[in-house]
Amino acid sequence: MTAQPLTADGPVVDPVVFRNVVGHFASGVTVITAVVDGKPYGTTASAVSSLSMEPPMMLACLNRSSSTHDRVVEAGVFGINILAEDQAALAFQFGRKGGDKFEGVGYTISENGVPLLDGALATIECRIAETATGGTHTVFLGLVAEASAADRQPLAYYRGTMGRLERVLEVKAYDGVRDWVLKRRTPLGSVLDPVGIGEAIRSEPEQVQNALVKLTAEGLVSRNDEGLLEPQPITAETTDAAYDGRATIESGVIASHLGRLTDGDVTELRRIVSELEALRAEEAGDLDAFLSLNVAYHDRLVSVAGSAALADAFRRLGIGTVWRQALTAEEWSRQLETGHVRDLTEALAARDVDAAQEALAAHTAFGKKLARDVIARHGGTV
């Protein structure tokens, strides 16, 4: 096969695939800040890197839809606040649209007129030297005026999870092992090999072993008579428990944190629903893309709580592999539906707690029944 060269007008990767793949790039977390007319502005950003040593320059990318973007342009200077391991809450706070991002946040205004966050791992103050446009973002090339760092640990980001670097590596291993088990890369009845799995997913065997212990507690892995670990069949009881657990978390978010839902959150949820509906309507719609969008939808809803621990717990209850294992390419769009998610989105947009809870309950009941039906058709286990 002859490789085709990339051209400016050639095909591009599916956005869902791109979002998933680029999420495998582990990075630090920053908050970009600026001041205009005495008012501070800020937004969370991970597309930040050093650019040049001589002269010292940084690169930062901001979405043009962000209010901070225009304030950076107006101010001509901006700060890069590299967050420390205990500042995940700040990353969530500055990552939301609307509201006072600086409410309850300690900061100082530097001599260069840049807000610097208290407790940051490092701060870098930049003057805009050049800008460029790429897609929906502006690339700011900043000449570094001041820089300082503290003796702390960084806040790391990997596949939607933030925390200590060691914690991020543990999450990476857990995600990889869970995916391995649920996709039956080790068949039912076979022994799981931590060393082999570690090599395949590029994680240390000890981290793989720890992940397998967690999966044992979650009922996805069990020990055989010889004490060796094997994948556990998924039953209707397994899927019921997963759906109930996810619903409990989402219901709690709706009941306690709906006031934190922003118009930006609603816009994103509506966009995802539209893409889900479009995939179902396609004659050859992609099940993996549909499931990835579904994950993105529910992750976005749970993120309203601003809790990395809650988001992590919710992610652990995902059972999308049931659909991948049990639904054919020809039947999945007839089996899965989007009506309840559409109803949930509009209830959230109206800030109607009761209607949102009702739509969530209907969505959960539908998922549980479909899972039971699919598993029953496969002899009681998947």
Side-chain angles (χ1 to χ4, degrees), residues 223-289:
R223 292 191 181 276
N224 62 21
D225 293 339
E226 298 175 355
L228 301 175
L229 294 172
E230 297 181 355
Q232 181 75 3
I234 294 176
T235 65
E237 289 71 23
T238 306
T239 57
D240 276 359
Y243 269 107
D244 287 341
R246 287 167 68 87
T248 297
I249 291 174
E250 288 188 294
S251 178
V253 171
I254 292 170
S256 303
H257 301 291
L258 189 56
R260 301 179 63 178
L261 186 79
T262 67
D263 291 342
D265 292 323
V266 172
T267 297
E268 178 64 8
L269 293 175
R270 283 175 169 158
R271 181 195 68 78
I272 294 173
V273 171
S274 295
E275 290 193 22
L276 287 169
E277 292 173 340
L279 277 173
R280 280 194 69 219
E282 291 179 11
E283 188 172 332
D286 185 344
L287 174 58
D288 279 339

Side-chain angles (χ1 to χ4, degrees), residues 36-59:
V36 173
D37 295 332
K39 181 178 179 180
Y41 294 83
T43 187
T44 302
S46 58
V48 176
S49 70
S50 60
L51 179 66
S52 167
M53 295 298 293
E54 296 182 4
M57 296 185 72
M58 294 291 294
L59 176 154

